[in-house]
Amino acid sequence: MEQSESDLIKVSRDPPGSAVAVITINRPKSLNSLTRPMIVSLARHIRLLDSDPTVAVLILTGAGDRAFCSGVDLTAAESVFKGDVKDPLSDPICQLHACSKPVIGAINGYAVTAGFEIALACDILVAGKDAKFIDTHAKFGIFPSWGLSQKLSRIIGPMRAREVSLTAMPVTAQMAEKWGLVNHVVERNSEALDKAKEIAEAIIKNNRNLVLKYKAAINDGFSLDLRSALALEKERAHSYYDGMTKDQFAMMQKFIQGRSSKTPSRL
């Protein structure tokens, strides 16, 4: 029995009403490969969750324990590559870049080509021990359009990135962690989502407004030279504090004093 299109990208919140939303690419029999409708649906869900005030963190993962996303379904390649590829509303990478909330990728298996690019658009990555990142653009004659040719070299360095992309060599989870591509490697692929949820829970305990502003400062500053990035931080810090009321400063001081009395200094 074939899955309905509406079931191929699933959103869940466990427990219901949780501030952590999990988006699952749900086509495990095809290693979670993407069709055009799935791509559009993924972009729509990211956009809707970003605008939902009850959601604080997004997690992206794949169904099953073999693949996060094996890329575009090449049997439907023409509809993907010749579709309205410049429409940001139907582009999940554009929506991930625009997402104000932290996005954690739980890489539970193969992340191939488009799947690799989706992973690179996340803010934090957790990978199962058997996960592999593979760029097959050169192998199949597909020109990258979701950022792999530019992002990977900025994360792991141009020498490694050239070898990964020009040879289509697999990057194991252990290599990815050593190179700074992933934050954590867990023992089993099925545990990647649990670790991602653990990180998400740590994030939502903090000041949600500051989390959004901090993510934006890091991401926006990364594309600038250091001098300009420091100026950006300074400007946004002044704007942030200028916008705070006396009551907000008093609440901040009360919170800090409360933490200080409960937690002995480690210095």
Side-chain angles (χ1 to χ4, degrees):
M1 183 176 178
E2 289 190 8
Q3 292 176 274
S4 66
E5 286 190 357
S6 61
D7 192 44
L8 295 175
I9 303 293
K10 294 176 64 176
V11 175
S12 60
R13 295 167 73 174
D14 183 23
S18 167
V20 180
V22 179
I23 304 174
T24 303
I25 303 171
N26 185 37
R27 200 179 175 216
K29 290 183 179 179
S30 298
L31 298 180
N32 299 321
S33 60
L34 298 169
T35 62
R36 178 67 183 167
M38 290 173 69
I39 290 171
V40 174
S41 176
L42 179 58
R44 181 174 64 84
H45 282 301
I46 294 165
R47 186 170 67 255
L48 291 175
L49 291 171
D50 189 34
S51 64
D52 185 339
T54 67
V55 174
V57 180
L58 280 63
I59 297 175
L60 267 175
T61 193
D65 60 2
R66 294 176 62 202
F68 167 72
C69 172
S70 62
V72 168
D73 182 343
L74 294 182
T75 65
E78 186 173 358
S79 66
V80 172
F81 298 126
K82 288 194 174 182
D84 191 2
V85 295
K86 292 184 179 181
D87 176 16
L89 293 181
S90 62
D91 185 330
I93 303 301
C94 285
Q95 293 307 312
L96 285 169
H97 289 166
C99 184
S100 62
K101 297 167 183 176
V103 181
I104 304 170
I107 313 302
N108 55 312
Y110 288 99
V112 182
T113 313
F116 198 165
E117 291 176 302
I118 291 170
L120 289 176
C122 296
D123 298 302
I124 297 169
L125 289 180
V126 178
K129 186 178 71 173
D130 297 325
K132 288 183 174 65
F133 299 85
I134 309 174
D135 180 4
T136 63
H137 282 105
K139 185 174 183 178
F140 293 113
I142 301 168
F143 201 93
S145 61
W146 279 359
L148 215 160
S149 69
Q150 303 304 310
K151 290 181 184 176
L152 188 61
S153 62
R154 286 165 168 78
I155 298 171
I156 68 173
M159 294 294 193
R160 286 175 176 151
R162 290 187 196 107
E163 184 177 8
V164 169
S165 295
L166 302 183
T167 67
M169 64 175 275
V171 177
T172 66
Q174 294 75 18
M175 292 164 66
E177 184 178 37
K178 181 180 178 181
W179 293 351
L181 179 60
V182 304
N183 299 73
H184 302 276
V185 174
V186 293
E187 186 63 25
R188 287 184 284 273
N189 289 348
S190 58
E191 295 173 357
L193 180 57
D194 291 336
K195 182 63 179 179
K197 287 181 178 179
E198 180 186 317
I199 296 168
E201 291 296 330
I203 292 172
I204 64 175
K205 290 177 182 177
N206 295 324
N207 182 302
R208 292 194 186 181
N209 182 44
L210 200 282
V211 165
L212 302 184
K213 291 182 181 297
Y214 211 148
K215 169 184 165 169
I218 293 170
N219 289 2
D220 294 346
F222 191 71
S223 62
L224 304 174
D225 62 85
L226 181 58
R227 183 186 295 273
S228 299
L230 290 171
L232 175 144
E233 180 192 70
K234 185 73 70 177
E235 179 182 345
R236 292 189 185 183
H238 284 310
S239 175
Y240 180 75
Y241 291 121
D242 284 348
M244 288 180 67
T245 65
K246 288 185 177 180
D247 287 344
Q248 287 173 319
F249 273 110
M251 285 178 63
M252 179 193 292
Q253 188 174 19
K254 184 178 179 181
F255 177 79
I256 293 170
Q257 288 173 339
R259 295 278 293 182
S260 299
S261 64
K262 293 176 184 178
T263 308
S265 174
R266 295 184 180 182
L267 296 179

